[in-house]
Structures are given as C-alpha cells and as structure tokens.
Amino acid sequence: MILGTGTDIIEVDRLRKTMESDSGFKRTVFTGSEIEYCQSKADPYPFYAARFCAKEAFLKALGKGVFEGIKLTEIEVDHDAAGRPVIRLNHAAKDIARDLEVSKIHVSLAHLKEIATAVVIIEKEGRTQRNS
C-alpha cells in the first residue's frame, strides 16, 4: 500500500549559487558518492539539483523532515545495475523507514539546464484493506 508521495522542483541556478557561496553546503547535503557522480559530468549542477529534489521529495513522501533527525546525507541517490535511480537510506533515515514499515521506494528524476525535479512514491508493508 502507498504510504506517501512527494515531489520537488528547483531552479538549477539557485542551487548553483548556493553551492558556490556556501562552501559547506555540498558536504551537508550530498554524500561522497553523489559528489563523485555529479562532478564527473560536464555541468554537475543539474545532477546535484535532481538529487536535492529527490531528497526533498522523499522527506515529503515520508511525512518527516530534517527537524525530525534525518540528515540529507542519510538519503543517497544512486543507480541500480540497469541505470535506474534508487534511494538508499542510512542511519536515522533507515531507522525511521523501518519503523514505518517502508517496503519499497520509487524515485524518478528529471532535469534540464535550468530546472530539476523528482517524484518519490513510498510503499508500506501491510495487507490490503477489505470492504466488509
């Protein structure tokens, strides 16, 4: 059953300006693996922006936020063997997802030069409700 859905959108230039003016922002938001992936691109900022959106969309879908103990670096956007984006969780994010019985996280990313977006759907373990 679906636990939640979330979506986020951002102007790439807004994220670029933030990252260029705040030297600690990158390490506060992105994991080493995400930084390595994005930096391998000719223009890394649309890739950073899409990952930022995925993290925000995940928090919206989960109904939780950074004020509830989840750090953005605990939500990692990666790719599976087929190249599809996946979200991997660590530390508090993983614990909260387990407590909420999250069974599957679906994520879709999209970006252009100017805009990035992501959609996340979270499924929960459980049986289907029957009408009596």
Side-chain angles (χ1 to χ4, degrees), residues 46-122:
F47 296 88
Y48 279 121
R51 278 149 187 75
F52 182 81
C53 287
K55 292 167 188 261
E56 292 288 318
F58 172 78
L59 291 172
K60 290 174 183 176
L62 195 62
K64 303 287 182 185
V66 292
F67 298 112
E68 296 183 57
I70 298 175
K71 296 177 183 173
L72 292 176
T73 54
E74 294 174 356
I75 306 162
E76 183 174 63
V77 180
D78 198 1
H79 295 92
D80 67 12
R84 292 179 297 238
V86 295
I87 288 182
R88 301 190 199 289
L89 304 175
N90 295 295
H91 309 294
K94 187 174 188 175
D95 294 341
I96 290 170
R98 184 189 60 243
D99 292 346
L100 292 173
E101 300 177 325
V102 170
S103 60
K104 181 86 173 154
I105 303 168
H106 306 271
V107 60
S108 179
L109 309 175
H111 55 80
L112 300 170
K113 184 177 178 183
E114 302 87 14
I115 285 191
T117 188
V119 174
V120 172
I121 300 171
I122 299 176

Side-chain angles (χ1 to χ4, degrees), residues 22-70:
D22 181 351
S23 62
F25 181 84
K26 189 188 297 184
R27 292 270 177 213
T28 302
V29 175
F30 302 103
T31 67
S33 178
E34 290 171 320
I35 293 169
E36 183 179 328
Y37 176 80
C38 293
Q39 288 300 134
S40 73
K41 306 301 180 184
D43 181 4
Y45 293 102
F47 296 88
Y48 279 121
R51 278 149 187 75
F52 182 81
C53 287
K55 292 167 188 261
E56 292 288 318
F58 172 78
L59 291 172
K60 290 174 183 176
L62 195 62
K64 303 287 182 185
V66 292
F67 298 112
E68 296 183 57
I70 298 175

Side-chain angles (χ1 to χ4, degrees), residues 3-20:
L3 174 66
T5 60
T7 186
D8 198 57
I9 187 169
I10 192 170
E11 294 172 337
V12 172
D13 199 45
R14 180 175 162 216
L15 186 71
R16 179 189 324 264
K17 287 176 183 174
T18 299
M19 291 177 73
E20 289 174 350

